[in-house]
Amino acid sequence: MTKKDFKILIADNDRIAQDIFGSQLSREGFTVLSANNGLDAIRILQRERISLIITDLRLYDDDGIEMLKHIVWGNPEIAVVILTAYGNLESALNAVKEYAYDYLTKPFKVEEVTVIVEKAYKRSLLIHENRKLIEYLRDTYNDIEVIRSAAQSKNPEVTIGWLERMERLRTMNVLSSQEAETLKERFVSGA
């Protein structure tokens, strides 16, 4: 995932804040969308794959915490940064309890937001990498019967392909070196 693929939604009724954050984050290479109110934000979330929302806690017609629950429930991988001029410890704890990624009280510096966005981007990269590893591991284990058949067939192309796959699992730290060697030996011997 590139920074351009990491879409950020800035949902704030303060147009100046939208422009400042939008231009700064665009210069950093991110794709930035803006919403002036909660309804616009919801519409954008329905049609775009958003990775991060930077939103004012009081933007939504009902409670912003309820909106946060709805957003995170619909997509637990999305990071939500809450901005508010009405910050206090209780609202911060409620936001974090409801899975906000981070929380900032106004006024704040643009650099603070940039640091949070970079951390959220790195989090997203780790989530994607983890998902790929899980899918790769699942595919490998789902192919156990195919492996057994391939080992028994003694087809050199198939054997080399599976040995390479086991080696990739080792280099991805899914399998230890010892586990990979054991699997290779069992594969080659047909056991």
Side-chain angles (χ1 to χ4, degrees), residues 70-129:
H70 178 72
I71 291 168
V72 174
W73 182 80
N75 183 357
E77 293 179 6
I78 199 166
V80 180
V81 176
I82 302 292
L83 308 175
T84 185
Y86 307 99
N88 61 45
L89 184 57
E90 184 179 344
S91 65
L93 290 174
N94 282 338
V96 171
K97 185 175 99 180
E98 297 302 335
Y99 309 105
Y101 180 72
D102 213 330
Y103 183 94
L104 288 172
T105 56
K106 296 177 182 179
F108 46 83
K109 297 178 182 169
V110 176
E111 294 81 20
E112 290 178 275
V113 175
T114 303
V115 168
I116 290 170
V117 169
E118 287 290 338
K119 284 175 35 182
Y121 174 63
K122 288 177 184 173
R123 171 188 174 264
S124 183
L125 290 175
L126 289 173
I127 288 169
H128 278 54
E129 181 181 0

Side-chain angles (χ1 to χ4, degrees), residues 51-170:
S51 302
L52 172 67
I53 302 171
I54 301 172
T55 185
D56 190 316
L57 191 59
R58 304 231 177 205
L59 182 67
Y60 305 93
D61 294 334
D62 45 345
D63 185 17
I65 296 294
E66 287 302 313
M67 189 61 202
L68 173 62
K69 286 181 194 178
H70 178 72
I71 291 168
V72 174
W73 182 80
N75 183 357
E77 293 179 6
I78 199 166
V80 180
V81 176
I82 302 292
L83 308 175
T84 185
Y86 307 99
N88 61 45
L89 184 57
E90 184 179 344
S91 65
L93 290 174
N94 282 338
V96 171
K97 185 175 99 180
E98 297 302 335
Y99 309 105
Y101 180 72
D102 213 330
Y103 183 94
L104 288 172
T105 56
K106 296 177 182 179
F108 46 83
K109 297 178 182 169
V110 176
E111 294 81 20
E112 290 178 275
V113 175
T114 303
V115 168
I116 290 170
V117 169
E118 287 290 338
K119 284 175 35 182
Y121 174 63
K122 288 177 184 173
R123 171 188 174 264
S124 183
L125 290 175
L126 289 173
I127 288 169
H128 278 54
E129 181 181 0
N130 188 41
R131 188 181 311 118
K132 284 182 181 179
L133 287 171
I134 289 170
E135 288 172 9
Y136 193 75
L137 187 58
R138 187 176 294 130
D139 289 345
T140 300
Y141 282 114
N142 286 336
D143 292 339
I144 288 175
E145 288 304 314
V146 175
I147 291 172
R148 287 184 183 146
S149 298
Q152 292 169 355
S153 78
K154 302 294 183 193
N155 181 334
E157 291 177 16
V158 172
T159 301
I160 290 170
W162 281 105
L163 293 174
E164 288 172 350
R165 188 176 221 185
M166 287 178 223
E167 182 59 24
R168 278 196 309 264
L169 285 170
R170 188 197 60 75

